[in-house]
Amino acid sequence: MKRRAVICTLAGAVAGLAGSAPASAAPSMITHKIPSSGELLPVIGLGTWQTFNVGHKAEERLVLEQVLREFVTLGGSVLDSSPMYGAAEQVAGDLAFKMGIRSKLFIATKVWTYGREAGIRQMEESMDKLRARPIDLMQVHNLQDVHTHLATLRDWKRQGLVRHIGVTHYMAGAHEEVARLIKSEQVDFIQINYSAGEREAEQRLLPLARERGVAVIASRPFVGGDVFRRLRSRPLPPWAADIDCRSWAQLLLKFVVSHPAVTCAIPATGKLEHLRDNMQAGYGRMPDEAQRALIARLVAA
Ligand SMILES: NC(=O)c1ccc[n+]([C@@H]2O[C@H](COP(=O)([O-])OP(=O)(O)OC[C@H]3O[C@@H](n4cnc5c(N)ncnc54)[C@H](OP(=O)(O)O)[C@@H]3O)[C@@H](O)[C@H]2O)c1
């Protein structure tokens, strides 16, 4: 924890020198290592649930194109989708292709069906929609038919069709099953709900993932967005400036990515202003244990 805090702080100090908005010559976003591959991932990614499910309307796609361009410009890389998210894979894939940014993205999606053949068909479709072959990370969505799909994915990883494999769930009630799985199966990643408003993973799953060398993507860092309804009317605590936070969103994201087991967070947004806000959480100083506890207390209040 201490070593990572120092690294984050050093990176933060450099980011601080350049001001809040990283220009082209500015330092990169803070990164964390994927334990199994050693690859570095920027700590703030982008979710696509609901926000990228927009179909073909030009004006709706234009906004998302701006969001995705800015995401990459501000140092982002991890883009998370699923065949469960309607048109999101297609929209993200079309936009990334149009902008020629595939090489800058770490594309994660999921398999969400029953049966080996259906899983293979769905994953092939996802790779086509996302124009990502190999795909950077394929995850079994909500542990659905998990052992069947993991068998396929282990084989696909050997063949080089996927670079990393993982499992996801979004409810604390499933953490025990995820924990059992990472003890018995070899996965590179888990994606679980973790935020200042949903801290159950701290008890067992996050320490276990760290011990087993499994990367962690934190979904629902804003508890699905609900948390803003309560926080919006409250002023930021004065010490937020000590960790380079100018908004509640930045405090919430820094809470998540400063946990030593967390590799990155994937807040979802379809708004440019929110995207810019969120990306700043990947720069500057990170909260220490005492500040993390304060953030959690403010959210719980
Ligand atoms: N089972 C699974 O595998 C699973 C389950 C859940 C989620 N996920 C993944 O995790 C991602 C994130 O989770 P989530 O989408 O449920 O919830 P979330 O990221 O916790 O919250 C998203 C909500 O926060 C709002 N928001 C974003 N940035 C904001 C800002 N700076 N200020 C104010 N509001 C802001 C968004 O609205 P605006 O669009 O208005 O900004 C949106 O309504 C998903 O998109 C998905 O990729 C996976």
Side-chain angles (χ1 to χ4, degrees):
M1 174 63 183
K2 272 193 179 139
R3 190 161 168 266
R4 182 189 262 193
V6 170
I7 293 167
C8 291
T9 307
L10 285 175
V14 180
L17 290 175
S20 62
S24 53
S28 11
M29 182 182 282
I30 294 166
T31 55
H32 290 163
K33 205 180 262 185
I34 303 171
S36 67
S37 65
E39 201 168 312
L40 295 173
L41 291 184
V43 293
I44 305 297
L46 184 63
T48 60
W49 185 49
Q50 295 181 313
T51 46
F52 273 65
N53 181 18
V54 297
H56 287 284
K57 276 198 192 140
E59 64 275 22
E60 285 178 328
R61 282 195 171 213
L62 182 63
V63 178
L64 294 175
E65 185 176 332
Q66 290 166 347
V67 165
L68 200 50
R69 179 175 292 114
E70 193 76 346
F71 173 64
V72 166
T73 305
L74 295 178
S77 172
V78 180
L79 181 79
D80 178 73
S81 197
S82 170
M84 188 208 185
Y85 303 164
E89 286 181 321
Q90 188 74 61
V91 172
D94 288 352
L95 294 178
F97 179 72
K98 183 177 168 195
M99 289 186 272
I101 56 170
R102 167 66 187 104
S103 63
K104 302 211 160 122
L105 294 174
F106 181 96
I107 297 187
T109 194
K110 314 191 183 87
V111 53
W112 182 64
T113 185
Y114 288 95
R116 180 177 177 273
E117 297 310 317
I120 289 174
R121 258 195 317 278
Q122 191 179 68
M123 292 191 285
E124 292 279 2
E125 277 170 25
S126 292
M127 291 202 279
D128 288 345
K129 287 176 183 166
L130 287 159
R131 293 177 171 87
R133 203 176 279 264
I135 203 132
D136 299 300
L137 168 62
M138 186 66 83
Q139 308 153 102
V140 182
H141 197 146
N142 288 352
L143 301 172
Q144 199 163 102
D145 205 358
V146 64
H147 295 290
T148 303
H149 300 315
L150 280 181
T152 307
L153 284 173
R154 274 193 297 269
D155 189 35
W156 277 26
K157 193 177 166 186
R158 272 192 297 273
Q159 292 180 47
L161 290 168
V162 294
R163 300 199 313 110
H164 302 88
I165 65 176
V167 297
T168 80
H169 211 289
Y170 69 106
M171 281 166 56
H175 287 182
E176 198 49 49
E177 199 181 340
V178 176
R180 268 199 302 277
L181 225 136
I182 61 175
K183 284 210 240 166
S184 62
E185 301 263 5
Q186 280 239 308
V187 294
D188 304 296
F189 277 84
I190 56 172
Q191 182 187 135
I192 49 157
N193 57 312
Y194 177 57
S195 66
E198 292 184 333
R199 299 179 62 198
E200 295 88 342
E202 286 172 5
Q203 297 304 312
R204 197 165 120 68
L205 193 49
L206 288 174
L208 183 68
R210 201 169 174 217
E211 182 191 310
R212 309 280 308 179
V214 177
V216 177
I217 297 180
S219 69
R220 296 173 47 81
F222 301 140
V223 208
D226 287 353
V227 74
F228 291 114
R229 264 197 290 280
R230 280 184 291 128
L231 293 177
R232 201 170 286 136
S233 56
R234 294 200 231 153
L236 278 187
W239 50 264
D242 299 342
I243 49 170
D244 303 308
C245 285
R246 297 200 188 96
S247 68
W248 283 110
Q250 290 168 22
L251 274 181
L252 292 165
L253 289 172
K254 286 200 172 186
F255 172 88
V256 172
V257 302
S258 61
H259 189 287
V262 171
T263 312
C264 67
I266 46 167
T269 183
K271 300 201 175 102
L272 195 53
E273 183 197 340
H274 287 171
L275 185 278
R276 286 185 177 134
D277 181 8
N278 299 344
M279 297 307 277
Q280 289 315 309
Y283 295 85
R285 291 162 289 183
M286 287 285 161
D288 60 21
E289 277 309 316
Q291 288 162 325
R292 295 184 81 252
L294 281 175
I295 297 170
R297 213 172 305 149
L298 284 170
V299 171

